[in-house]
Amino acid sequence: MEVSENFTGSALSGKPQTWASINWKRVLQNVRGMQMRIAKATQESDWRRVKALQRTLTRSFSAKALAVKRVTENQGRRTAGVDHELWNTPERKRSAIDDLQSRGYRPMPLRRVYIPKPNGKERPLGIPTMRDRAMQALFHLALDPVSEATSDVNSFGFRVNRATADAGEQLFICLSTRRNSKWVLEADIAGCFDNISHEWLLENIPMDKQILRKWLKSGIIFKGAFQHTLAGTPQGGIISPTLANMTLNGLESGLKHYLTELFGVVRTKRLRVNVVRYADDFVITGITSELLQDTIRPWVEAFLSERGLTLSKDKTRITHIEDGFDFLGWNFRKYSGTLLIKPNKKNALSFYRTVRETVMTNLGTTQEVLIRLLNPKIRGWALYHRHVAAREVFARMHSLIFRLLWQWARRRHAKKSATWVKRRYFRSMRGSNWVFATNDGGQNSGKNVELFHIGRIAIIRHIKIKGAYNPYDRQWESYGEVLRQRRMAGRMIHRKAWSALYLSQGGKCALCNEPITEQTGWHDHHIVYRLNGGSDALSNRVLLHPVCHQNLHSLGLSVVKPALSKSSRRLELYAGKPARTVLRGGCDGNIASLPD
């Protein structure tokens, strides 16, 4: 098969010799173009062409550079594997690109660590070396288009532009009306990542079998002892979530095919069977408990058994919708025929304990430091639950956090009066006399630093992604771009400066003009440096990818304020309009939705 010189990036211009000289815009365009070709070949079931295109992609300079970029910019970049090696310099990153070769590749064992789970148990993680992580990222670039083209419609975990909110909205659609299903099978797979059959993976995952076998059999180092891996794909690897997703693909489509053969098309529709899955957690709805227990559950157990998996006996149960069930941190329950989705008690209690631990371990820190520690936690939890009926829970949580902070303040000044403590730590702002705030002690002295007010979060109805969306299909490109920008703007809604910059740039980096996402991250750059008299005004600031920000400084580049695109103007109008009020399945009537 012919390989274009533009794709390899070597014949015409030669490979960049330094990390800073890599043209990331061209790299992203090259990789995405090949991924679209892989997705198209997968849709046509042309597996020989899929294999050839995957081989071309994994051998290209662009894909290798993007793989190294991913593992050196994500949250785990400072965590080493068993070789204690990190790629933390531009020189090491550039040399790592040339080291990513399939021939002679032998992965090193994983470093085993354990992290606590909400139920008191521990979750095992396997940490690969930097080189093994980069190799996984490289082959993931070639495997993900296949995974997206073959995934179930209502599978939402670890997929581009899909989130837990989409799964929650799909369940709302399946359960909210009177004619919908009344019974739910809450399914939980026992140790999914640790028990997937290696034989099944090697027979059914369309990627380089030798590389996959080496990863699966690489072993684990725990407390200095080597352990063989006989089954499973360890949590912690970049490619592991995609392997797990592909293992469970067919759960939804296969079940509906089985029921159609058993009952016929018309009767199957009347059974109201729906499968909603997020990673290895899934629920199945049905019109009767007997259908779920006697027909669907045995089929699911057989489906999982082929893959070396089993249902957890303790966590798998059949529940009536009026009794409610928990899924993804929410409680789904009908009250007098009206479905309400609320943050579940377990999730709220876990969050409160996290906040309390943060406060109790920072009894001697300054108020400003405590606020900066708490704000990301509070904001993240509130934004996660803002799409459900969470107003009462938010108000209760705000009250509990206020009590914690009042006790924290009184403890620091046990001999002072309550009035003195109030004046010292609380301010009157925006109609409230009890805002936990202080002055910024840094460069913005005089500017208030205040605690994020969880009670003022607007409840916004989530707009579910279209089930047929494929991020690697060209006909969905425009839809995906608008969806990504709208959701990112929504996440930045409580960070007004960043939100304004993001909208003004059309959701793209001001240097490379490629999309800014949660995965890429972003830096806030001053066009005229503050040391040179530049201001903090938005007209002097742009958002850049972290790597673009580094290249801008190292290469002495400059950027100008980008012009506002048409799509950005539309998004800016969305952000500026008051959201219309809609009624959503028994919520309090204050659920706001983004304008259409």
Side-chain angles (χ1 to χ4, degrees), residues 122-141:
E122 292 184 322
R123 185 188 306 277
L125 290 182
I127 301 178
T129 63
M130 293 295 291
R131 183 168 184 248
D132 293 338
R133 272 178 254 175
M135 286 293 287
Q136 288 191 22
L138 175 63
F139 280 85
H140 179 265
L141 290 172

Side-chain angles (χ1 to χ4, degrees), residues 469 473-484 570:
Y469 169 70
D473 192 333
R474 196 175 299 278
Q475 66 177 342
W476 288 99
E477 195 160 4
S478 176
Y479 170 82
E481 182 178 347
V482 173
L483 179 72
R484 172 186 57 78
R570 288 198 300 270

Side-chain angles (χ1 to χ4, degrees), residues 130-265:
M130 293 295 291
R131 183 168 184 248
D132 293 338
R133 272 178 254 175
M135 286 293 287
Q136 288 191 22
L138 175 63
F139 280 85
H140 179 265
L141 290 172
L143 183 61
D144 198 47
V146 180
S147 175
E148 285 291 337
T150 57
S151 288
D152 288 331
V153 173
N154 292 311
S155 167
F156 299 101
F158 304 113
R159 296 179 63 191
V160 179
N161 280 340
R162 284 173 166 84
T164 54
D166 292 302
E169 189 66 22
Q170 178 62 26
L171 273 175
F172 180 83
I173 295 170
C174 297
L175 298 170
S176 58
T177 66
R178 291 183 178 180
R179 291 188 175 184
N180 286 148
S181 305
K182 296 179 175 61
W183 293 89
V184 174
L185 171 64
E186 303 174 63
D188 184 88
I189 301 174
C192 177
F193 282 85
D194 295 328
N195 295 306
I196 299 175
S197 167
H198 285 180
E199 290 72 20
W200 191 93
L201 288 172
L202 291 169
E203 290 177 6
N204 294 277
I205 300 300
M207 64 169 291
D208 190 309
K209 306 299 181 183
Q210 292 185 356
I211 296 293
L212 179 58
R213 182 180 289 105
K214 289 178 181 179
W215 285 336
L216 297 176
K217 304 297 183 182
S218 61
I220 295 170
I221 297 291
F222 181 58
K223 294 183 178 179
F226 178 80
Q227 302 173 5
H228 291 282
T229 48
L230 304 178
T233 171
Q235 298 183 63
I238 288 176
I239 205 170
S240 294
T242 301
L243 294 178
N245 260 342
M246 297 188 74
T247 301
L248 297 177
N249 281 342
L251 181 65
E252 179 183 3
S253 57
L255 177 58
K256 290 189 175 180
H257 179 71
Y258 167 73
L259 293 175
T260 301
E261 288 188 338
L262 197 62
F263 300 111
V265 176

Side-chain angles (χ1 to χ4, degrees), residues 490-510:
R491 293 187 185 100
M492 292 180 173
I493 196 169
H494 294 284
R495 302 177 181 182
K496 295 181 180 179
W498 286 353
S499 179
L501 290 173
Y502 181 84
L503 292 171
S504 69
Q505 295 175 202
K508 296 183 178 181
C509 172

Side-chain angles (χ1 to χ4, degrees), residues 496-501 504-505 524-525 527 535-542 561:
K496 295 181 180 179
W498 286 353
S499 179
L501 290 173
S504 69
Q505 295 175 202
D524 188 347
H525 171 72
I527 299 173
S535 69
D536 282 332
L538 295 183
S539 58
N540 189 48
R541 294 158 64 186
V542 292
K561 195 71 175 177

